[in-house]
Amino acid sequence: MAHIAIVGAGMAGLSALQLLKEHGHQVTVFDKSRGSGGRLATKKVGDASWDMGAQFMRSHNGAFTKALHQWQKEGWIQHWNFQPHVINADGIHESPDDVERYVGVSRMTALSRKLLECADQFHASTRITECRRHGESWQLEDDMGNNFGDFDGLIINTPPLQAQPLLQQIAPELAAQCDVDLMPTFTLLLAFDQGLSNDQANDVKGAFVKHPIVDWISQNSSKPERDQNLTTWVVHANHDWARTHTESPRDHVQQLMLDAFFEVMQSDAIVPTESWLHRWLYAIVDQPLHKGSLVDQQQQLAVCGDWVDQGAVEGAWLSGQQAAQQFINN
Ligand SMILES: Cc1cc2nc3c(=O)[nH]c(=O)nc-3n(C[C@H](O)[C@H](O)[C@H](O)COP(=O)(O)OP(=O)(O)OC[C@H]3O[C@@H](n4cnc5c(N)ncnc54)[C@H](O)[C@@H]3O)c2cc1C
């Protein structure tokens, strides 16, 4: 049995954790946030809550499909049964497809919490700033000067910008591969105690939007096991628009997105009961490396994340499996 440290409790790190535990390893997980999930994020304001990051999971891969079915059996996720809409200059249209979409219940982060349960230790609110190799083992240091170790192996599951400084001294050839762009976006979260004035818009559960400001709208309260007291909406900004507004005043961005929401939904403006704007500087990987995971076998080091393999929750999960595999093969 080896003791492995995982830096980052996003889907990739949690996927690695599952596989390492199945093979009897001891695993300690670190995340700079208060909880797990990374971009599988949930936000709560007053009586309203929303999935703020990933909206749903889908699979193109047999292994990930198997994992989704297992999580469904455990009751951690459910099928989100809806027919998507497309909204463009011609209006709001149904756009049926046969994609199986799944969501964590009763929120996306509920899944990450379940996946994290098998960790031997979880250090939340712990930002790792340095990884050092001493002989055959790894030691980690956080931004408060606390030291952790010794670990036999290390998996880094952070976005590329955070992975690069961690890798610079210990594995410069891996650090050189961290030059991967994650596109920004904004997420506007809205909650209403009444429906929109356009009945057709109230039927929208998830819509792919062609608009200069907005590119996705979902009715969060239409997902399984969500609170039905308020109607909650998630609005994601178009990446090109977001890129030109990352430094704009928050209130200004929020107002522009709110106006765009009513325009796209062809509804009269009403005052939300709750609302929240989140700025994602690093949201969606533009051109992932398609490398599974990055590995330095001699140092017992692996790097994983959606950006290393392919985009989306599925890509992150696959990358985590690849990263863990190298400690199992040894
Ligand atoms: C707005 C938005 C909408 C999306 N919609 C979808 C969707 O509908 N479907 C889909 O499949 N995907 C979607 N995605 C993409 C999906 O969320 C990601 O591909 C996936 O969650 C990435 O997982 P990850 O493990 O690679 O990285 P992350 O989730 O980013 O995890 C990295 C973790 O590392 C931690 N960390 C970083 N630096 C340190 C450090 N120094 N020390 C300790 N911890 C650190 C972070 O806190 C984080 O928890 C969306 C993403 C966003 C932002």
Side-chain angles (χ1 to χ4, degrees), residues 59-100:
S59 177
H60 306 80
N61 174 285
F64 188 54
T65 303
K66 212 168 139 197
L68 288 173
H69 289 166
Q70 182 58 35
W71 300 342
Q72 189 181 24
K73 216 166 111 194
E74 301 282 356
W76 301 347
I77 64 172
Q78 278 187 33
H79 202 199
W80 184 22
N81 202 356
F82 78 99
Q83 287 301 338
H85 281 75
V86 164
I87 308 181
N88 54 25
D90 297 332
I92 302 174
H93 311 278
E94 285 187 1
S95 176
D97 61 27
D98 54 8
V99 176
E100 305 252 321

Side-chain angles (χ1 to χ4, degrees), residues 72-310:
Q72 189 181 24
K73 216 166 111 194
E74 301 282 356
W76 301 347
I77 64 172
Q78 278 187 33
H79 202 199
W80 184 22
N81 202 356
F82 78 99
Q83 287 301 338
H85 281 75
V86 164
I87 308 181
N88 54 25
D90 297 332
I92 302 174
H93 311 278
E94 285 187 1
S95 176
D97 61 27
D98 54 8
V99 176
E100 305 252 321
R101 296 178 174 86
Y102 294 89
V103 294
V105 286
S106 58
R107 52 190 181 278
M108 281 302 220
T109 45
L111 171 62
S112 65
R113 277 193 192 181
K114 285 293 178 188
L115 294 174
L116 183 65
E117 272 176 7
C118 66
D120 295 279
Q121 271 194 303
F122 177 51
H123 296 274
S125 307
T126 305
R127 181 190 293 269
I128 299 300
T129 49
E130 207 179 328
C131 308
R132 288 184 295 265
R133 182 93 172 143
H134 285 301
E136 295 288 290
S137 66
W138 284 105
Q139 287 179 7
L140 309 184
E141 187 173 328
D142 72 7
D143 57 356
M144 308 296 283
N146 299 309
N147 285 284
F148 307 89
D150 297 320
F151 303 104
D152 305 306
L154 172 62
I155 294 180
I156 295 179
N157 161 223
T158 70
L161 202 73
Q162 282 96 28
Q164 202 156 32
L166 293 177
L167 292 166
Q168 202 71 59
Q169 296 299 322
I170 53 176
E173 66 293 350
L174 300 191
Q177 298 186 60
C178 294
D179 200 8
V180 176
D181 185 31
L182 261 59
M183 300 181 289
T185 190
F186 289 94
T187 300
L188 177 65
L189 305 170
L190 300 168
F192 299 104
D193 56 8
Q194 57 181 303
L196 301 174
S197 63
N198 175 7
D199 279 343
Q200 198 193 4
N202 289 317
D203 291 338
V204 170
K205 300 204 166 39
F208 301 97
V209 184
K210 286 227 167 315
H211 182 271
I213 297 182
V214 173
D215 80 358
W216 165 261
I217 292 177
S218 64
Q219 193 175 144
N220 199 81
S221 42
S222 77
K223 293 179 175 179
E225 293 195 17
R226 266 58 180 181
D227 200 338
Q228 303 294 321
N229 290 341
L230 295 167
T231 308
T232 52
W233 295 94
V234 175
V235 186
H236 285 160
N238 167 316
H239 299 293
D240 290 336
W241 181 83
R243 219 182 269 284
T244 60
H245 284 77
T246 50
E247 300 309 323
S248 301
R250 184 188 172 87
D251 290 352
H252 179 60
V253 171
Q254 189 155 347
Q255 191 60 52
L256 290 175
M257 285 187 70
L258 184 63
D259 294 346
F261 171 74
F262 291 123
E263 180 197 330
V264 161
M265 299 301 251
Q266 300 168 7
S267 169
D268 297 339
I270 48 175
V271 179
T273 313
E274 300 288 359
S275 69
W276 183 263
L277 181 78
H278 184 80
R279 181 183 69 166
W280 298 93
L281 286 176
Y282 310 104
I284 304 284
V285 59
D286 191 10
Q287 294 184 341
L289 297 176
H290 297 293
K291 287 193 172 170
S293 65
L294 304 177
V295 170
D296 180 336
Q297 207 157 23
Q298 214 178 359
Q299 295 200 85
Q300 295 290 289
L301 168 67
V303 182
C304 59
D306 58 351
W307 59 278
V308 184
D309 191 37
Q310 48 182 295

